[in-house]
Amino acid sequence: MITVVGIGADGWDGLSEESRHVLEAAEVLMGASRQLDLVPPSAAERVVWPSPLLPALPELMERYADRQVCVLASGDPMFYGIGSTLVRLLGAARIRVLPHLSSLSLACARLGWPVEQVDVVSLVGRPLAALNAAILPGRRVLVLGAGRDAPALVAGSLVGLGYGPSPMTVLADLGAASESARAGTAATWADSEPSGSGQTPPGAEGAPSGLEEAPSGAGQVPSGSGQGRNVSSVLQVIAVECVAGPGAEPFARVPGLPDTAFEHDGQLTKREVRAVSLSRLAPLPGELLWDVGAGAGSIAVEWLRAHPSNAAVAVESRADRVAAIRRNADRLGVPALRVVEGRAPAALEGLPAPDAVFVGGGATAPGMLETCWAALRPGGRLVVNAVTLESESVVAGWYARLGGDLVRLAVQRAAPVGGFTGWRAAMPVTVWSITRKDVP
């Protein structure tokens, strides 16, 4: 049994009696140097996490399997912490967790924010683009920072999205005697220092123009010191109240984003057809999608935006479109999208089994639909869009054999006709969808 003990910035004094007893009885203590330094000396062997950690964990756990191991973690080990990782690796039966207050709970307590009304984004080991999907008017977002320059990076991202007026509060060393807070707006934070310097300009004293110390008192965050847009501590939570500026373009979470939200060369599942296709794909939390013949990657991107636990693989044969898919994923806040460059169905070999497959192009390729159908998990959904007579013929054959749902969509848009307005028809799209139940 491995025991994972959450510890706050207040160190030993903030631990429960049970957590102290476990640490005193441990034969091996594991954790980051900063966490190990919070625990008084003992007879236990101390193991500092190697870097990178994840590849080394299995061998490390095996090496000490016959000893009484205690792992130190910041705050709540099951909140973006090592506890979750160890449970995935070893199973819940082998892990005992003694949590401490999480940075989320502490931050909300300082700010007076109801926890259930806050969105959380971790940038620890994740790209900055992961923040983009959470930035919506009126939302409160807590960002778990990674590095002293995280506030400046978050502020720059907010400004780039058109949310420069958003109030920001950076909470550092929550729970410690050195706890502090700095407040400002994204725009003033980003502009408080010459671009690219990463340091306070020489001679600057106190808070730079546009940044204020947050007042202390009930319902407010405690005051603190610091200079420049960076924060002296790596233990920080960045609180953002999203306020849209004139240039902001909020994107809803429901399927059917505007076509202009995506960079594309015309190879794009258009808005209305995309909404219908995603309704047939029916994304559920934690599911995996294959977007085959992805084009601009719009289906995969919107699948991922449906829930943060979703996963997707976009398969595209053209290098320029692969690059555009990655940019679309970053811009719309789903940088975890996996992009495979290659021609299907050969490029599908070795991919994890999907819960849903969308074929937006290439339905006529030999073996394409056979491969996709065979790969689906039980209960999985296959959706195929056909535009040409040849692809419609293939879809009609599968529909005749397996059934499912066959829909033809014809979209018309108002457009100028001389001095008047008329309807211009887009190419009709045939959508075949089927759920793999007991169908062979």
Side-chain angles (χ1 to χ4, degrees):
M1 176 71 70
I2 295 172
T3 303
V4 185
V5 174
I7 189 168
D10 50 356
W12 185 260
D13 292 340
L15 292 176
S16 67
E17 286 297 324
E18 183 180 16
S19 294
R20 291 184 185 182
H21 176 73
V22 168
L23 289 168
E24 289 169 339
E27 297 176 323
V28 179
L29 288 180
M30 295 183 181
S33 297
R34 170 180 52 81
Q35 295 158 346
L36 292 171
D37 289 344
L38 296 173
V39 177
S42 67
E45 178 183 351
R46 299 195 171 205
V47 178
V48 178
W49 291 135
S51 182
L53 173 59
L54 293 182
L57 265 182
E59 189 276 332
L60 196 60
M61 294 297 109
E62 181 65 26
R63 186 191 315 168
Y64 294 97
D66 59 344
R67 302 180 67 183
Q68 196 166 338
V69 175
C70 181
V71 171
L72 284 170
S74 295
D76 185 345
M78 302 303 291
F79 179 67
Y80 289 103
I82 189 64
S84 304
T85 302
L86 290 174
V87 167
R88 286 195 301 270
L89 179 65
L90 303 175
R94 294 184 57 188
I95 306 297
R96 178 189 181 203
V97 178
L98 300 177
H100 196 273
L101 283 173
S102 70
S103 56
L104 168 66
S105 295
L106 288 170
C108 287
R110 301 296 188 266
L111 296 163
W113 290 4
V115 177
E116 72 276 7
Q117 297 177 13
V118 173
D119 296 322
V120 182
V121 177
S122 175
L123 298 182
V124 181
R126 296 170 175 83
L128 182 63
L131 176 64
N132 293 355
I135 304 304
L136 293 169
R139 296 301 300 166
R140 288 173 167 173
V141 182
L142 288 181
V143 184
L144 308 184
R148 292 178 175 84
D149 60 346
L153 295 174
V154 169
S157 182
L158 288 166
V159 170
L161 293 170
Y163 287 77
S166 300
M168 280 178 52
T169 303
V170 179
L171 304 160
D173 293 328
L174 281 165
S178 58
E179 180 177 318
S180 65
R182 293 185 59 79
T185 67
T188 55
W189 204 292
D191 293 341
S192 66
E193 173 187 313
S195 176
S197 67
Q199 301 291 335
T200 305
E205 296 181 359
S209 176
L211 292 177
E212 301 174 353
E213 299 297 341
S216 61
Q220 298 173 324
V221 293
S223 63
S225 62
Q227 296 181 344
R229 58 181 183 174
N230 294 342
V231 176
S232 60
S233 174
V234 296
L235 300 176
Q236 58 189 243
V237 176
I238 305 157
V240 179
E241 296 184 80
C242 299
V243 176
E249 186 179 4
F251 292 128
R253 291 287 189 149
V254 297
L257 290 178
D259 294 345
T260 54
F262 300 93
E263 175 189 339
H264 64 93
D265 58 3
Q267 192 70 19
L268 173 76
T269 303
K270 300 301 190 292
R271 183 178 195 172
E272 293 80 7
V273 177
R274 190 181 335 120
V276 171
S277 300
L278 281 159
S279 74
R280 278 12 183 218
L281 290 166
L284 297 175
E287 290 192 327
L288 170 67
L289 168 77
W290 287 0
D291 184 356
V292 183
S298 60
I299 292 289
V301 166
E302 294 218 44
W303 170 279
L304 290 172
R305 286 173 58 87
H307 196 272
S309 66
N310 286 355
V313 180
V315 181
E316 173 55 50
S317 61
R318 283 181 43 171
D320 57 336
R321 289 175 179 165
V322 165
I325 291 171
R326 292 194 172 107
R327 290 191 291 270
N328 285 331
D330 284 351
R331 178 170 179 253
L332 292 166
V334 288
L337 172 60
R338 179 182 174 186
V339 186
V340 174
E341 183 177 346
R343 189 171 297 278
L348 304 176
E349 185 176 351
L351 295 181
D355 299 288
V357 177
F358 175 73
V359 181
T364 58
M368 175 71 83
L369 298 191
E370 289 83 355
T371 300
C372 293
W373 180 250
L376 273 176
R377 297 177 184 273
R381 288 82 64 198
L382 173 64
V383 176
V384 183
N385 284 7
V387 176
T388 66
L389 289 174
E390 290 78 7
S391 57
E392 279 193 340
S393 176
V394 171
V395 164
W398 279 77
Y399 174 70
R401 181 161 61 91
L402 299 182
D405 185 44
L406 196 61
V407 176
R408 201 171 200 218
L409 304 177
V411 177
Q412 299 181 2
R413 290 186 174 83
V417 179
F420 299 91
T421 303
W423 295 104
R424 294 195 182 276
M427 292 184 66
V429 178
T430 299
V431 180
W432 176 55
S433 57
I434 186 170
T435 299
R436 180 160 191 168
K437 297 180 179 177
D438 298 324
V439 180

